[in-house]
């Protein structure tokens, strides 16, 4: 089967909806454009003076790398100009952008939450980094956005995806009909279908967690990590430990090879470190659509009722059987405690 570009793939998907007006197609094209622009800068970051700190802190209080700012600017620019969005929320900004109130461009029905460049503290170390995006349709039909629009569950996402800027740049996304992966061919400037109908293997041989937090974990999580290290041929244990410290890179590895990623609550992050709206919900939607599983340990990530834009949640995500095993440990030890 010859090359199928992202544009061709999206058009084929749109053809299944006779009364589709192409709004969603335009939205994905805008995301693809911004991803290509970020790809270009990430791939020459070592050369340009773009490396190093911008000297400003973002709302997370983290040193803001210039590439962060660059990526944030280009995703906002592309998403505002496409005229299909009514709300844009970025990890880099305290408040979302309500386009129904302030845009010189046409306003549409899509709400986009995104982390423009996650793992950016790894840029100087040339470690893979990524963009994560989550797309909802507004619930209200027009006028100002209301709580009903902002409180939508992760299960109500119409699409979610990530871009991983690694040895190759890939765009992986779902619209609720399975998960597909596209690899950027820089020689033609197109994302080409490379991983049709991605499925996370139901089990894997690696676990991914920042073990330096071990002493802060619950008994259940500690017991699960011991379980990972035990010798058991039948379940390919002991698992290998793989932790890149870049969420998209750790998640993508598990998408391809199977495995589990855990960022449980710790003393430093009692609600977990990772963000619900633009990290955990999109990855949970992608994982479930690929046959995987995503939980806080007590409930599915996609069923959390959002309260505020930058809220955090514990995250356990990856191969279905491995995530279920952690849930079993949590159930066993919570009834015991
Ligand atoms: P820790 C990167 O800063 C990030 O937000 C995610 O990409 C990554 O999974 C996590 O934090 C790493 O956190 O505490 O293990 O360094």
């Amino acid at each position: 089967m010859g090359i199928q570009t992202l544009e061709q793939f999206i058009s084929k998907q749109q053809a299944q909806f006779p009364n589709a007006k192409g709004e969603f197609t335009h939205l994905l094209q805008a995301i693809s454009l911004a991803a290509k622009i970020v790809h270009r800068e990430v791939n020459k970051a070592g050369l340009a003076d773009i490396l190093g700190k911008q000297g400003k802190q973002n709302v997370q209080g983290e040193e803001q790398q210039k590439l962060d700012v660059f990526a944030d600017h280009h995703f906002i620019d592309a998403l505002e100009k496409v005229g299909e969005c009514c709300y844009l929320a970025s990890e880099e900004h305290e408040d979302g952008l309500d386009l129904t109130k302030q845009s010189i461009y046409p306003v549409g029905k899509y709400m986009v939450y995104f982390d423009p460049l996650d793992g950016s503290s790894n840029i100087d170390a040339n470690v893979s980094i990524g963009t994560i995006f989550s797309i909802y349709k507004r619930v209200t039909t027009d006028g100002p956005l209301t709580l009903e629009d902002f409180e939508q569950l992760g299960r109500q996402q119409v699409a979610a995806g990530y871009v991983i800027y690694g040895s190759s740049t890939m765009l992986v996304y779902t619209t609720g009909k399975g998960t597909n992966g596209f690899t950027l061919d820089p020689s033609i400037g197109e994302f080409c279908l490379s991983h049709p109908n991605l499925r996370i293997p139901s089990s894997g041989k690696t676990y991914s967690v920042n073990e330096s937090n071990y002493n802060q974990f619950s008994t259940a999580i500690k017991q699960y990590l011991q379980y990972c290290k035990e010798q058991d041929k039948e379940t390919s244990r002991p698992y290998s430990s793989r932790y890149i410290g870049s969420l998209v890179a750790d998640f993508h590895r598990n998408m391809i090879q199977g495995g589990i990623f855990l960022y449980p609550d710790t003393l430093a992050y009692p609600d977990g470190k990772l963000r619900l709206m633009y990290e955990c919900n999109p990855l949970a939607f992608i994982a479930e659509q690929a046959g995987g599983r995503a939980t806080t340990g007590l409930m599915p990530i996609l069923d959390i009722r959002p309260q505020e834009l930058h809220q955090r949640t514990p995250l356990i995500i990856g191969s279905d059987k491995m995530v279920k095993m952690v849930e079993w440990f949590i159930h066993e030890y919570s009834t015991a405690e």
Side-chain angles (χ1 to χ4, degrees):
M1 183 179 80
I3 286 182
Q4 186 175 164
T5 68
L6 175 63
E7 321 304 314
Q8 289 164 335
F9 183 86
I10 299 171
S11 304
K12 219 167 87 179
Q13 299 276 329
Q14 181 188 319
Q16 291 166 23
F17 301 93
N19 56 0
K21 297 190 221 72
E23 295 153 330
F24 185 70
T25 297
H26 297 152
L27 179 58
L28 275 184
Q29 285 166 345
I31 289 171
S32 163
L33 170 65
K36 292 178 200 174
I37 293 172
V38 173
H39 156 84
R40 184 188 59 197
E41 290 307 312
V42 165
N43 279 275
K44 65 181 184 186
L47 308 173
D49 68 352
I50 202 163
L51 261 185
K53 314 265 186 242
Q54 165 93 4
K56 273 197 305 189
Q57 301 242 323
N58 63 12
V59 292
Q60 322 301 337
E62 292 161 351
E63 269 302 315
Q64 196 155 24
Q65 300 258 350
K66 277 185 178 176
L67 264 181
D68 266 355
V69 175
F70 180 90
D72 179 61
H73 167 75
H74 283 281
F75 273 95
I76 288 177
D77 189 54
L79 287 167
E80 191 172 7
K81 282 178 179 164
V82 74
E84 302 295 357
C85 300
C86 55
Y87 182 75
L88 303 177
S90 165
E91 193 251 6
E92 298 291 337
H93 298 279
E94 182 65 28
D95 301 313
L97 203 58
D98 182 343
L99 298 178
T100 64
K101 290 186 185 137
Q102 51 176 19
S103 180
I104 56 169
Y105 299 101
V107 175
K109 59 188 172 196
Y110 292 105
M111 304 174 74
V112 185
Y113 298 78
F114 60 98
D115 187 348
L117 208 55
D118 180 78
S120 54
S121 52
N122 294 296
I123 293 172
D124 291 356
N126 208 7
V127 168
S128 299
I129 47 185
T131 299
I132 310 170
F133 59 90
S134 169
I135 302 173
Y136 297 81
K137 252 189 217 157
R138 67 180 293 177
V139 178
T140 51
T141 46
D142 54 20
L145 294 167
T146 69
L147 260 186
E148 208 184 347
D149 296 312
F150 295 116
E151 285 185 341
Q152 296 183 70
L153 304 184
R155 214 164 281 290
Q156 292 168 265
Q157 291 173 89
V158 292
Y162 62 86
V163 185
I164 177 165
Y165 309 97
S167 46
S168 64
T169 291
M170 275 191 70
L171 169 65
V172 176
Y173 82 95
T174 181
T175 57
K177 291 181 239 19
T179 295
N180 291 282
F182 299 80
T183 301
L184 180 64
D185 179 343
S187 69
I188 56 172
E190 294 285 3
F191 280 105
C192 301
L193 183 64
S194 53
H195 296 70
N197 195 26
L198 253 176
R199 306 295 289 170
I200 302 185
S202 62
S203 201
K205 301 181 175 143
T206 63
Y207 71 100
S208 188
V209 67
N210 186 333
E211 301 252 15
S212 71
N213 296 323
Y214 181 83
N215 295 331
Q216 302 177 46
F217 290 151
S218 66
T219 306
I221 296 291
K222 286 177 179 172
Q223 291 299 318
Y224 176 70
L225 296 178
Q226 296 309 331
Y227 166 86
C228 290
K229 298 173 169 76
E230 285 163 2
Q231 186 74 37
D232 177 89
K233 238 177 160 29
E234 197 193 310
T235 51
S236 310
R237 285 181 291 145
Y239 299 142
S240 293
S241 171
R242 291 283 182 278
Y243 193 69
I244 303 169
S246 186
L247 176 61
V248 173
D250 278 316
F251 179 74
H252 184 68
R253 182 199 53 249
N254 293 345
M255 282 290 287
I256 303 298
Q257 301 171 352
I260 188 168
F261 173 91
L262 309 92
Y263 208 112
D265 47 285
T266 64
L267 296 177
Y269 296 108
D271 297 325
K273 176 181 183 184
L274 301 173
R275 309 290 184 170
L276 174 65
M277 297 308 290
Y278 43 78
E279 288 174 338
C280 301
N281 264 337
L283 295 186
F285 187 25
I286 293 163
E288 285 199 6
Q289 283 292 313
R293 192 174 175 85
T295 176
T296 64
L298 299 174
M299 66 180 287
I301 294 288
L302 294 179
D303 292 336
I304 299 174
R305 172 71 59 192
Q307 245 91 37
E308 63 97 26
L309 175 54
H310 297 288
Q311 77 185 65
R312 302 174 191 266
T313 173
L315 175 67
I316 301 161
I317 190 169
S319 292
D320 180 60
K321 285 189 185 140
M322 299 176 89
V323 175
K324 280 178 179 162
M325 182 54 81
V326 181
E327 289 172 306
W328 182 83
F329 272 89
I330 290 172
H331 179 261
E332 285 300 297
Y333 283 88
S334 57
T335 41
E337 272 172 348

